[in-house]
Amino acid sequence: MDAAKRIADLIAPTLDAMGFQLVRVKLMGTERPVLQIMFERDTGGAPHDGGITVDDCAEASRAVSAVLDVEDPISGAYRLEVSSPGLDRPLTKAADFERFKGFAAKVELGRPLEGRKRFQGRIGGLAGDAVVLRDEEKGAEARLPVAEIASAKLIVTDDLITASLAGRSAPAN
């Protein structure tokens, strides 16, 4: 098990108990690593949570630090960064592609599909084990295997901003 997965398994229950959900754990660098933790409020499936405050970050940081101090999953010194995922949030779970259906996203695969690794379009949700991504300019639809997704994130658009501000569950059309 890699370090980020092990850390995620350690801290997720603490964040859950606080009413938050873990979005991503990323460990970067080698000499003095940075441990990046993104979290959000538990939304019950709605696209946006009303935001994370600085106080939320401080509270989550203290709680996560306590767990990490006890479990000590990283040898040596490291820097901890705790934040919200922001509007252009990473899409890290298959369920994110249902939650943000209708919004624009960029997706990069770990290996080429039909000669391409990078895709952009509106999320059409899940179809079995694949994410449906619609390229409206080309009038094309791609089905991207979830297991092959290396990275994905929302693209900040007027629809996303409007939905975030309004707390809507669907994009404005």
Side-chain angles (χ1 to χ4, degrees):
M1 179 183 310
D2 75 345
K5 172 73 171 118
R6 190 172 70 243
I7 292 166
D9 289 347
L10 288 172
I11 66 172
T14 299
L15 291 171
D16 288 347
M18 298 169 72
F20 299 127
Q21 287 185 327
L22 182 62
V23 173
R24 179 174 77 186
V25 172
K26 192 172 185 180
L27 189 58
M28 304 168 286
T30 54
E31 192 168 314
R32 176 136 189 206
V34 174
L35 177 59
Q36 181 188 70
I37 296 170
M38 288 184 181
F39 73 103
E40 64 188 353
R41 290 189 197 294
D42 186 347
T43 66
H48 297 287
D49 62 13
I52 294 291
T53 67
V54 172
D55 289 340
D56 292 335
C57 287
E59 182 184 354
S61 180
R62 283 189 296 274
V64 164
S65 290
V67 172
L68 296 175
D69 286 347
V70 169
E71 298 295 334
D72 200 24
I74 302 171
S75 61
Y78 63 93
R79 191 173 83 227
L80 177 63
E81 291 181 359
V82 178
S83 68
S84 77
L87 276 179
D88 60 343
R89 63 169 291 126
L91 303 169
T92 59
K93 301 176 274 237
D96 290 342
F97 294 97
E98 282 296 327
R99 179 177 169 197
F100 293 100
K101 189 174 182 175
F103 294 103
K106 289 182 182 180
V107 178
E108 185 167 340
L109 301 178
R111 59 182 167 175
L113 175 69
E114 298 175 10
R116 296 175 57 193
K117 288 177 81 171
R118 292 182 182 91
F119 296 82
Q120 183 172 321
R122 294 237 173 234
I123 301 169
L126 294 172
D129 291 336
V131 171
V132 177
L133 203 61
R134 295 186 180 103
D135 185 335
E136 294 167 343
E137 288 180 19
K138 295 179 182 175
E141 182 176 281
R143 292 182 183 262
L144 311 173
V146 171
E148 296 295 328
I149 295 175
S151 66
K153 71 177 197 166
L154 290 177
I155 299 170
V156 178
T157 62
D158 290 343
D159 288 349
L160 185 61
I161 292 168
T162 300
S164 179
L165 292 173
R168 292 172 48 137
S169 61
N173 288 325

